Amino acid sequence: MPVRLKAVIFDLDGVVTDTAHLHFLAWRQVAGEIDIEIDEQINEQLKGISRMDSLERILRSGGVAERFSQQEKDQLADRKNQLYVESLKQLHPGSILPGIAALLAELRKSGILVGLASVSLNAPRILDALELTEQFDFCADASKIQRSKPDPEIFLVACAGLGVTPEECIGIEDAQAGIEAINASGMLSVGIGSTLSGADLLLASTSELSLPLLLSTRQNNE
Ligand code: BG6
Ligand code: MG
C-alpha cells in the first residue's frame, strides 16, 4: 500500500525567502572586520549550519580559530546577528520566493500539513515579516535543537510536532547539509539549487515547485 503524503516540511532561509544572501552579507562584514575574506563558496558551507558553527568555519577558513576566546566568539556572533536582524527589516510578503505562496495554499487546500525545520533563531520574526506564520502547522523550535544539519534532528522534531512519520513527509532544502539531514531522517528530499547532490528531486528554482510534482516524485520513489 503506498503511504499517503501527509506533510511537507520546509527549510526557511533560501527556500521560503532569500535570507541566505542576507546571512552572507552580514558574515562578510564581520569577517572583514577581523581581516578574513569570505566568498560565496564558503557561504555555501554555512547554509543550514547554526550561527556559532558558521563562525567557527569562518575562523578556520582564515586560519585563526585558536586566536579567539569563547567570549570574543560570542561577541562576533552577536555582532553578525545585529547586522543580520537589521537587514531583515527589508523583508515583506513580496520577499517570499516564487512558487512558495502558491504551494503553501495548495497544501492547505489538500489537507496536507506544513512544517518548518529551520535552525535559525530568527525564524519566527522572518515568518512574521513575510506574513506566513499562520500558514505553518508546526515550526520546530531552533533553540531546543542540539545538533545542526546534516543531523536529522530538526526534521524529526518537525515530524513529531506534526504527528506524522518521516515516510509520510517530503522535506525541501537549499543546503547540502539540509539534503543530508532530510535523507538521514527517512523523508523524501527536494533540493533547490543546481549545485546540490543526493536529493530525490532537484529543482533549479522554487518556481518549479507544485503539489502535482511532489506527488509524482513520491510515486516514482515508491
Ligand atoms: C540557517 C541558515 O537557516 O540558519 C544558516 O541556513 C544560519 O546560514 C542558521 O547560520 C542560523 O541562523 P540565525 O538566524 O539563528 O543566526
Ligand atoms: Mg536554507
Side-chain angles (χ1 to χ4, degrees), residues 11-15 20 47-48 149 173-175:
D11 172 47
L12 176 66
D13 293 319
V15 170
K47 290 182 179 175
K149 299 165 187 175
E173 263 289 350
D174 71 316

Side-chain angles (χ1 to χ4, degrees), residues 180-201:
E180 286 161 26
I182 296 174
N183 291 345
S185 77
M187 288 179 209
L188 211 64
S189 57
V190 176
I192 309 294
S194 44
T195 59
L196 301 176
S197 62
D200 294 301
L201 172 69

Side-chain angles (χ1 to χ4, degrees), residues 74-136:
D74 289 342
Q75 282 166 358
L76 288 168
D78 284 351
R79 163 111 179 101
K80 182 267 173 175
N81 194 51
Q82 275 166 15
L83 293 168
Y84 178 62
V85 167
E86 186 57 34
S87 73
L88 292 178
K89 287 188 182 152
Q90 64 189 268
L91 293 185
H92 57 91
S95 318
I96 300 169
L97 282 169
I100 295 293
L103 177 60
L104 290 172
E106 257 183 306
L107 293 171
R108 178 66 43 105
K109 212 172 91 194
S110 312
I112 296 170
L113 296 170
V114 174
L116 189 79
S118 169
V119 298
S120 171
L121 297 167
N122 292 298
R125 84 165 82 214
I126 294 171
L127 286 186
D128 228 33
L130 300 174
E131 296 178 14
L132 280 182
T133 308
E134 299 302 316
Q135 305 298 317
F136 284 79

